[in-house]
Amino acid sequence: MAGKKRIKVIMAKPGLDGHDRGAKLLARVFAEAGMEVVYTGLRQTPELIVDTALQEDADVVGLSSLSGVHNYFFPRVVELLRGKGLDDVLVVGGGIIPEEDVPGLKDSGVAAIFGPGTRTEDIVKFIEKEVRTQ
Amino acid sequence: MNKLVTEVLQGSVRAMARLITLVENEDPCSLEYLGAIYPHTGNAHVLGITGSPGTGKSTLTDRITTALRRRAQSVGIIAVDPSSPFTGGALLGDRIRMQRASGDSEVFIRSMATRGNLGGLARTTADVVKIMDAFGKDWIIVETVGVGQDEVDIVRTADTTIVVLAPGLGDTIQSMKAGVMEIADLYAVNKADRSGAEALLTEVKLRVEQDAEIKKTLWQAPVLKTVALDDQGTESLLDAVVSHRNFLKQSGNFEIVRREKAREETLSLLKEEISRTMVEKILGNGRFEALIDDIVAFRKDPYTSVQEIVGTIFPDSE
Ligand code: B12
Ligand SMILES: Nc1nc2c(ncn2[C@@H]2O[C@H](COP(=O)(O)OP(=O)(O)OP(=O)(O)O)[C@@H](O)[C@H]2O)c(=O)[nH]1
Ligand SMILES: [Mg+2]
């Protein structure tokens, strides 16, 4: 019986930010790359995002923010994930995020931040390389 | 017993999520785990929600779930969406329409991709139902992919099946003549706020009455109007589902159907296992390639050869 492991990604929009083009685009890009993608829709609290990751047994949580709420929401999602024992879930983020905020986000446990203009192939490659293997 | 299974039975959500992944991936251990799970199943009522794409299955699932929660029932949801036959990837979008139900700690939602299976469910959806059942969910709702006519696997999995129809989507009796119409225990004519709903309702009712004249059945599928978007008609729909459940229990059909399902499931597992192990053996002994050479050279034919091979494996099967 062949193991049929596929990378499962949660694509989430935390907070009240309504810019969803990037999140929807990436959801499609990840699916095209052979991943299974759950798009949560807009206006998600960190608690909802983490519940979704838990129930779906996600390998990756992708957070998209274009309205300047990343410094609160991204670390909070990581904190709640780790609180539920989801230590090996890869958290990546993107959107409009000033360069000077990136080191702080990385310290909080976000693996990488991808801003506008990033080639989507690079994002896919990063995930494929960094995702947990089991 | 296996640690993961024990944790699921003790109510660990994380363990359930992990176990579902193993089963979904058809991990080599999954049969053993499912074996351990099986004795703890059989308590949940399994509700199937099926119908054409975009009729409102996910929205309705969300509303039925909140109605069940008002009745203090715990709920597991399995939402199935298709995998791309080209990339193998999938966009699992049902959850977006389940915002009321998500965030409730007594509700567990799992999205599943079909991974190439054609019947409207994933190959392992029935196994995931069992895991949620053993975990202790009172109700398990299975939303199929948006189906056409042949994707009727749901009847083998669900105790009660709702077929969701909606006006303006080409949902007419003509377009649904085979398959899907035959599997309904209940019809929900959703989007009743839209024009064309009355006509569709009448059409479906007429069809159900005709069916009742053609073949006598103990249960006649009720046809109900809903506006899932505004949570209208949900309580009546759930009442009708509960009536169907009571009917199954009182008429003795429940036991008959469960036996049929157990038989079908065991038989299909048996076929799979036999074909897997036997083919492995046959291909392993090295003579198979020589046989193919003979067939290509017309010294033997494939039909007789297959009979001969089976004859050597099961010598007294004549
Ligand atoms: C289109 C747009 C809108 C549309 C949104 C439509 C929609 N449904 O998405 C509309 C017109 C509705 C809109 C409204 C507003 N907008 Co606007 N909008 C934009 C604009 C021009 C483009 C955004 C976009 O769609 N880009 C295309 C997508 C594909 O790119 P992207 O999201 O950046 O994604 C890429 C990367 O960032 C990355 N990425 C993104 N998310 C993720 C997630 C993960 C996990 C990963 C790995 C990567 C990743 O990958 C993508 C591909 O490379 C930007 C300016 C800009 N140049 O970015 C302003 C911008 C984002 N908007 C802005 C503002 C202020 C607003 C409004 C508040 C304006 C107002 N006063 O009304 C409202 C707020 C709406 C709301 N409810 O949130 C500001 C935000 C400023 C800030 N952050 O401080 C911007 C930056 C414009 C500006 N320079 O001022 N907006
Ligand atoms: N007007 C109206 N729209 C509805 C109703 N119920 C659902 N919708 C809308 O119909 C669209 C499809 O709803 P879903 O619940 O996603 O339908 P679905 O059958 O699950 O769709 P698939 O899973 O893609 O097949 C959404 O935009 C809903 O908001 C309703 O009762 N009335
Ligand atoms: Mg749906």
Side-chain angles (χ1 to χ4, degrees):
Chain A
M1 221 181 282
K4 297 190 194 167
K5 179 81 190 129
R6 287 204 170 266
I7 297 174
K8 193 157 199 179
V9 185
I10 308 295
M11 195 63 205
K13 290 280 316 169
L16 298 176
D17 175 20
H19 296 90
D20 59 1
R21 283 191 197 163
K24 282 179 168 164
L25 171 75
L26 283 169
R28 283 198 52 200
V29 166
F30 295 152
E32 291 282 325
M35 303 179 195
E36 292 180 348
V37 189
V38 178
Y39 176 54
T40 61
L42 294 169
R43 282 181 281 282
Q44 299 289 303
T45 63
E47 284 77 9
L48 278 173
I49 294 168
V50 171
D51 270 350
T52 302
L54 178 73
Q55 295 173 2
E56 300 284 355
D57 193 20
D59 301 298
V60 183
V61 171
L63 301 168
S64 176
S65 165
L66 285 80
S67 67
V69 296
H70 48 272
N71 282 333
Y72 167 69
F73 279 106
F74 290 12
R76 178 80 183 132
V77 168
V78 177
E79 184 191 330
L80 288 172
L81 280 172
R82 305 307 181 234
K84 297 238 178 188
L86 303 172
D87 299 315
D88 55 358
V89 175
L90 184 70
V91 180
V92 290
I96 303 291
I97 294 169
E99 205 48 56
E100 63 263 29
D101 291 346
V102 173
L105 292 174
K106 286 196 172 162
D107 282 344
S108 77
V110 180
I113 297 288
F114 300 92
T118 319
R119 288 171 7 131
T120 53
E121 304 95 278
D122 295 340
I123 303 176
V124 169
K125 275 199 203 112
F126 179 84
I127 289 176
E128 284 171 345
K129 183 162 158 282
E130 298 296 326
V131 72
R132 67 187 182 186
T133 43
Q134 176 44 56
Chain B
M1 198 189 292
N2 175 277
K3 183 164 164 283
L4 197 58
V5 172
T6 310
E7 284 174 11
V8 171
L9 296 176
Q10 286 166 350
S12 159
V13 172
R14 173 138 170 75
M16 170 152 68
R18 290 300 292 163
L19 182 56
I20 291 174
T21 304
L22 290 176
V23 165
E24 200 179 15
N25 291 343
E26 298 181 45
D27 188 277
C29 324
S30 68
L31 290 179
E32 182 198 327
Y33 293 168
L34 287 167
I37 283 282
Y38 186 78
H40 304 275
T41 63
N43 302 311
H45 193 75
V46 185
L47 175 61
I49 311 258
T50 191
S52 306
T55 46
K57 297 181 292 298
S58 302
T59 315
L60 204 56
T61 300
D62 188 57
R63 304 305 186 259
I64 292 172
T65 302
T66 40
L68 281 167
R69 295 293 302 126
R70 285 194 289 270
R71 300 181 190 192
Q73 300 287 296
S74 62
V75 184
I77 299 173
I78 303 169
V80 188
D81 270 318
S83 302
S84 157
F86 303 107
T87 64
L91 262 178
L92 308 168
D94 294 320
R95 211 179 169 110
I96 304 175
R97 310 275 175 219
M98 301 183 185
Q99 296 292 341
R100 297 191 190 184
S102 56
D104 180 333
S105 63
E106 293 293 311
V107 178
F108 182 99
I109 307 175
R110 183 66 175 233
S111 315
M112 286 186 91
T114 54
R115 298 190 177 182
N117 200 50
L118 293 177
L121 300 177
R123 243 167 73 89
T124 53
T125 298
D127 297 329
V128 176
V129 167
K130 291 205 184 77
I131 296 171
M132 292 188 181
D133 187 348
F135 176 88
K137 291 298 180 194
D138 300 317
W139 287 73
I140 296 159
I141 306 183
V142 181
E143 179 190 340
T144 73
V145 304
V147 299
Q149 315 199 323
D150 307 324
E151 298 94 339
V152 293
D153 273 3
I154 187 67
V155 278
R156 280 193 282 278
T157 305
D159 299 312
T160 302
T161 301
I162 302 180
V163 170
V164 185
L165 305 165
L169 287 169
D171 266 353
T172 61
I173 303 301
Q174 270 76 12
S175 67
M176 305 202 77
K177 35 187 179 274
V180 174
M181 295 298 273
E182 262 101 286
I183 64 171
D185 299 307
L186 278 91
Y187 291 96
V189 173
N190 190 40
K191 306 197 187 182
D193 55 325
R194 294 235 177 125
S195 68
E198 273 318 312
L200 183 58
L201 190 80
T202 313
E203 198 180 2
V204 179
K205 278 188 173 159
L206 203 68
R207 157 81 188 232
V208 172
E209 280 161 24
Q210 281 175 357
D211 284 354
E213 295 210 353
I214 296 167
K215 48 178 194 276
K216 289 270 168 281
T217 47
L218 291 173
W219 174 261
Q220 186 171 332
V223 187
L224 288 101
K225 265 201 298 195
T226 56
V227 183
L229 211 52
D230 302 332
D231 201 6
Q232 283 175 39
T234 318
E235 286 292 337
S236 318
L237 184 64
L238 184 52
D239 287 341
V241 172
V242 171
S243 301
H244 182 252
R245 179 168 80 160
N246 294 339
F247 158 79
L248 288 176
K249 294 239 154 99
Q250 283 156 16
S251 65
N253 270 29
F254 206 67
E255 296 311 315
I256 298 172
V257 173
R258 285 245 155 143
R259 190 172 196 292
E260 246 168 49
K261 283 181 186 162
R263 188 171 193 287
E264 225 173 281
E265 185 175 28
T266 312
L267 189 61
S268 100
L269 277 172
L270 184 67
K271 282 181 186 163
E272 251 172 53
E273 193 58 19
I274 288 180
S275 100
R276 194 180 60 82
T277 48
M278 291 301 145
V279 169
E280 232 165 58
K281 261 199 193 130
I282 292 163
L283 294 186
N285 77 7
R287 288 200 296 260
F288 192 71
E289 293 310 318
L291 171 66
I292 300 298
D293 291 339
D294 285 342
I295 291 173
V296 171
F298 297 102
R299 286 189 293 271
K300 286 198 166 175
D301 74 89
Y303 311 99
T304 318
S305 306
V306 164
Q307 294 302 325
E308 282 169 11
I309 294 174
V310 173
T312 57
I313 298 170
F314 300 107
D316 49 358
S317 68
E318 281 303 292

